[in-house]
């Protein structure tokens, strides 16, 4: 299994700039086939969905193709795929939908490891419903979730557990299936933020034990939007507020207003692009995705090891904050006695894009007393060993 990096990188016009991008956790670069799909759909003919004119049929096809692609990527039925403007928007929407059935005395469990998009919507919904919030804490030594605290937080009153599949700052991948199984034993739903996870692993929503799973195509080479996946029979039980004439079928009942057909086409093209990175002998798109994303994972792990070894060689001047044994190729670090924004600017002047900040990870930064800002290096499929060496050389020159 191997990715042809030269062929892969040729599809990305932004790489012709000579920049080395380490900002994948905030959003990857976009290959031309994705942009071409957006342009072709937008220039049409295109109109609102229908079954009569070619422009209506093009809109219908964009929606159907999108649901089919993300059904393959996430391993759920096509009518379990919901489009949203972003993962944050989808989580806010579903926090309101689900909280309709909450009552005082109920409880929810949240994680200190999570991006604020999987924290604040639930806290605010809980406040409105008079529901108690309990927490899964972080082990400061390992940057993993403290599962003992989870056992203490989980009670017969728990209605929902919200947890990330991978931290967007530390890379930590908690044992989602274990967490989900315990939640289900208590009679609670499980909402999984897979935004960072889906950028580095093939997702199997049922295998994770997630009742609802959300991700963002722009984290894995697609356009800016969000996708929620769930079993259609579960979605049938959820009743959102909606306009009277709008569809009441699943999943359309959760998609408000006219769909952005061109964005759907781009998101579909991103899945197709991923499937062909190293498809092996797979005949179905799911099989090709499995082989390709296994190769992506292998490539990114190799680069992560190279990056981590280089950072360790810099000595005490750089402190690596990502410690969990099981994590994505995302490394958070601080520079002794220096502002990480200065490091960001220094690297940018050398053509290396690596952001500094807290990255909406309010709870992890607070719980672990991390310095804000910190420097984050996140790898993507198009990164090379030369990119890693440029990052390390630039950081060494900054120290």
């Amino acid at each position: 299994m191997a990715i042809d990096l030269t062929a892969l990188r040729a599809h990305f016009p932004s790489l012709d700039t000579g920049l080395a991008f380490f900002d994948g956790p905030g959003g990857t670069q976009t290959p031309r086939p994705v942009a071409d799909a957006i342009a072709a759909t937008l220039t049409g003919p295109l109109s609102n969905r229908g079954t009569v004119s070619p422009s209506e049929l093009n809109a219908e096809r964009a929606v159907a193709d999108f649901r089919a692609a993300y059904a393959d990527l996430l391993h759920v039925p096509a009518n379990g795929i919901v489009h949203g403007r972003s993962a944050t928007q989808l989580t806010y929407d579903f926090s309101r939908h689900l909280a309709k059935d909450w009552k005082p005395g109920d409880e929810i469990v949240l994680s200190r490891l999570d991006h604020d998009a999987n924290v604040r919507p639930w806290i605010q919904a809980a406040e409105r419903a008079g529901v108690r919030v309990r927490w899964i804490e972080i082990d400061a030594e390992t940057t993993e979730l403290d599962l003992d605290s989870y056992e203490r937080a989980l009670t017969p009153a728990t209605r929902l557990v919200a947890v990330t599949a991978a931290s967007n700052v530390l890379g930590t991948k908690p044992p989602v299936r274990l967490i989900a199984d315990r939640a289900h034993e208590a009679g609670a739903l499980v909402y999984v933020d897979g935004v960072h996870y889906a950028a580095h692993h093939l997702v199997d929503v049922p295998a994770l034990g997630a009742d609802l799973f959300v991700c963002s195509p722009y984290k894995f080479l697609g356009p800016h939007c969000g996708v929620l996946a769930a079993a259609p029979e579960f979605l049938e039980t959820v009743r959102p507020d909606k306009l009277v004439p709008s569809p009441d079928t699943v999943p359309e009942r959760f998609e408000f207003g006219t769909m952005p057909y061109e964005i759907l086409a781009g998101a579909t093209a991103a899945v197709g692009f991923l499937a062909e990175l190293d498809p092996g002998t797979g005949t179905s798109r799911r099989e090709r995705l499995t082989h390709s994303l296994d190769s992506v994972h292998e490539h990114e792990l190799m680069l992560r090891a190279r990056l981590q070894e280089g950072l360790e060689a810099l000595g005490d001047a750089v402190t690596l904050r990502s410690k969990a044994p099981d994590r994505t190729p995302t490394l958070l670090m601080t520079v002794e006695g220096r502002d990480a924004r200065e490091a960001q600017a220094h690297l940018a002047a050398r053509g290396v894009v690596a952001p500094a900040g807290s990255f909406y990870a309010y709870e992890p930064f607070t719980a672990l007393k991390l310095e804000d800002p910190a420097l984050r290096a996140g790898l993507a499929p198009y990164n090379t060993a030369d990119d890693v060496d440029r990052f390390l050389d630039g950081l060494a020159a900054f120290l």
Side-chain angles (χ1 to χ4, degrees):
M1 298 187 295
I3 297 172
D4 184 338
L5 271 179
T6 301
L8 167 63
R9 288 172 62 85
H11 289 290
F12 290 82
S14 62
L15 300 184
D16 293 340
T17 62
L19 295 172
F21 293 94
F22 288 84
D23 59 343
T28 51
Q29 300 304 299
T30 307
R32 188 167 293 283
V34 171
D36 289 345
I38 293 171
T41 302
L42 190 59
T43 55
L46 184 67
S47 60
N48 281 332
R49 296 165 68 182
T51 60
V52 179
S53 70
S55 56
E56 291 174 336
L57 291 170
N58 281 344
E60 289 286 354
R61 188 177 304 111
V63 176
D65 289 351
F66 166 78
R67 298 206 203 282
Y70 282 82
D72 286 345
L73 183 69
L74 305 177
H75 207 208
V76 298
N79 59 338
I81 297 296
V82 180
H83 167 268
R85 187 182 66 80
S86 66
T88 302
Q89 175 251 305
L90 284 165
T91 305
Y92 262 115
D93 283 351
F94 275 81
S95 72
R96 290 187 287 266
H97 303 335
L98 297 177
K100 285 182 176 184
D101 296 326
W102 297 350
K103 60 185 183 302
D106 289 340
E107 299 176 353
I108 64 172
V109 177
L110 307 179
S111 151
R112 299 287 187 194
L113 189 62
D114 273 70
H115 185 290
D116 211 49
N118 202 31
V119 173
R120 217 54 49 189
W122 302 113
I123 288 177
Q124 291 162 356
E127 288 173 347
R128 288 191 294 271
V131 167
R132 180 178 180 179
V133 177
R134 292 178 177 265
W135 292 93
I136 313 175
E137 304 295 342
I138 303 177
D139 183 323
E141 294 302 315
T142 65
T143 66
E144 296 178 294
L145 285 180
D146 177 353
L147 296 182
D148 288 339
S149 72
Y150 178 48
E151 291 297 332
R152 293 191 297 270
L154 199 61
T155 77
T158 306
R159 301 299 303 277
L160 175 130
V161 175
V163 67
T164 186
S167 165
N168 71 310
V169 288
L170 298 165
T172 302
K173 293 186 293 182
V176 173
R177 183 54 194 252
L178 184 154
I179 290 168
D181 286 347
R182 288 290 294 115
H184 290 150
E185 289 170 9
L189 294 173
V190 177
Y191 189 99
V192 175
D193 176 355
V195 171
H196 189 60
Y197 182 88
H200 303 289
H201 296 278
L202 184 68
V203 176
D204 187 327
V205 171
L208 285 171
D211 296 297
L212 302 106
F213 179 97
V214 69
C215 64
S216 299
Y218 74 99
K219 308 290 187 175
F220 45 88
L221 314 183
H224 290 82
C225 64
V227 179
L228 182 136
E233 54 268 27
F234 171 75
L235 292 177
E236 290 284 1
T237 69
V238 182
R239 307 300 306 187
D241 294 330
K242 56 176 286 297
L243 304 182
V244 171
S246 65
D248 195 38
T249 53
V250 166
E252 281 86 355
R253 70 169 63 151
F254 303 104
E255 295 165 336
F256 308 127
T258 302
M259 301 278 274
Y261 307 117
E262 66 280 7
I263 297 299
L264 301 184
T268 300
V271 173
F273 187 86
L274 287 170
E276 299 307 317
L277 290 181
D278 184 21
T281 58
T283 55
S284 71
R285 180 163 50 192
R286 178 72 182 183
E287 290 170 341
R288 297 195 299 274
L289 282 164
T290 299
H291 199 275
S292 289
L293 292 176
D294 281 348
S295 294
V296 167
H297 181 61
E298 183 178 307
H299 171 66
E300 291 179 339
L301 280 182
M302 180 271 293
L303 292 181
R304 191 192 83 181
R306 187 184 187 102
L307 178 56
Q308 186 163 336
E309 289 170 7
L311 291 172
E312 290 169 352
L314 296 175
D316 294 340
V318 176
T319 301
L320 184 62
R321 304 296 181 173
S322 301
K323 302 175 184 178
D326 190 12
R327 51 189 166 84
T328 66
T330 294
L331 300 180
L332 188 74
M333 67 203 78
T334 52
V335 182
E336 185 65 30
R338 306 292 295 273
D339 189 321
R341 292 190 188 90
E342 295 177 3
Q344 176 187 0
H346 178 87
L347 289 166
R350 290 170 169 256
V352 177
V353 180
S358 57
F359 312 104
Y360 284 71
Y362 176 81
E363 296 298 336
F365 265 72
T366 301
L368 297 175
K369 297 181 174 59
L370 294 172
E371 298 175 27
D372 181 6
L375 188 67
R376 184 179 66 183
L379 295 160
Y382 45 70
N383 282 124
T384 66
D386 180 63
D387 289 341
V388 170
D389 292 344
R390 288 177 61 189
F391 178 93
L392 291 169
D393 289 345
L395 190 58
F398 173 72
L399 299 176

